[in-house]
Amino acid sequence: MQLLTKNPQLTRRIFLSGGIAISVSSIAWSQINKLPFDGDAIDPPMAHKLAQSSEITLLDIRRPDEWARTGSGQGAHRLDMRRKDFVSALDTLVAGDRSKPVALICATGVRSNRMSEKLKKAGFSNIIDVPEGMMGSKAGPGWIKRKLPLNKS
């Protein structure tokens, strides 16, 4: 499991839970991905573990047709990023606490990266990207190839 983070509390939590943590500057991470978000990122196994222990709110922000084809990661809330009320729906999920950790996953990490940046600008202070996505990307093999549990319905 890999965590790329600037958040010392999250890093400490990962070390205490036996995960492997790697600190990377936001500049280096942005250059690797060539995408705008420069916040924290975790891999799918860590996203699953933290979602199962309720330490993060995991959001699958893909479209309903994508959920139907592959299912969503176990523990993920399905919230289509195209919804006009996306921010208010997320506010409901985190009970209005925009400092709660929220991890975003999409198919290959592009949409989650961009939405992470938008949510930071909207006042959410603890957004985490899952850059491998469900299908895999340059960041890694993704949720499905890692054979992590899926909710099909």
Side-chain angles (χ1 to χ4, degrees):
M1 288 185 267
Q2 184 179 19
L3 169 73
L4 303 172
T5 183
K6 298 181 301 178
N7 182 332
Q9 291 177 331
L10 190 56
T11 301
R12 183 173 179 271
R13 201 174 307 142
I14 301 309
F15 277 125
L16 292 175
S17 67
I20 298 171
I22 299 173
S23 292
V24 175
S25 75
S26 61
I27 294 170
W29 183 242
S30 294
Q31 289 172 346
I32 290 167
N33 284 304
K34 297 188 184 340
L35 293 171
F37 182 63
D38 69 348
D40 297 336
I42 56 178
D43 65 6
M46 185 57 67
H48 178 252
K49 180 178 180 175
L50 293 174
Q52 292 302 300
S53 65
S54 299
E55 292 182 64
I56 63 169
T57 299
L58 178 61
L59 294 183
D60 185 336
I61 62 169
R62 298 176 299 151
R63 299 182 315 265
D65 63 297
E66 293 175 286
W67 302 327
R69 269 196 311 276
T70 64
S72 294
Q74 184 183 58
H77 299 271
R78 294 176 176 181
L79 190 57
D80 185 338
M81 68 179 279
R82 300 170 306 159
R83 283 179 53 169
K84 290 182 188 209
D85 67 340
F86 183 89
V87 171
S88 66
L90 178 53
D91 266 331
T92 299
L93 283 173
V94 297
D97 184 353
R98 291 187 174 193
S99 68
K100 284 188 177 177
V102 175
L104 305 180
I105 190 166
C106 64
T108 62
V110 175
R111 290 174 285 179
S112 62
N113 184 286
R114 290 188 179 132
M115 183 55 77
S116 294
E117 185 63 27
K118 288 178 183 177
L119 289 174
K120 285 273 189 179
K121 288 178 181 174
F124 290 87
S125 61
N126 202 352
I127 300 298
I128 305 161
D129 187 19
V130 184
E132 290 182 35
M134 293 296 292
M135 310 303 289
S137 68
K138 289 180 182 179
W143 192 288
I144 293 170
K145 286 183 184 168
R146 288 177 179 270
K147 300 186 187 308
L148 293 166
L150 294 167
N151 287 332
K152 296 281 187 170
S153 55

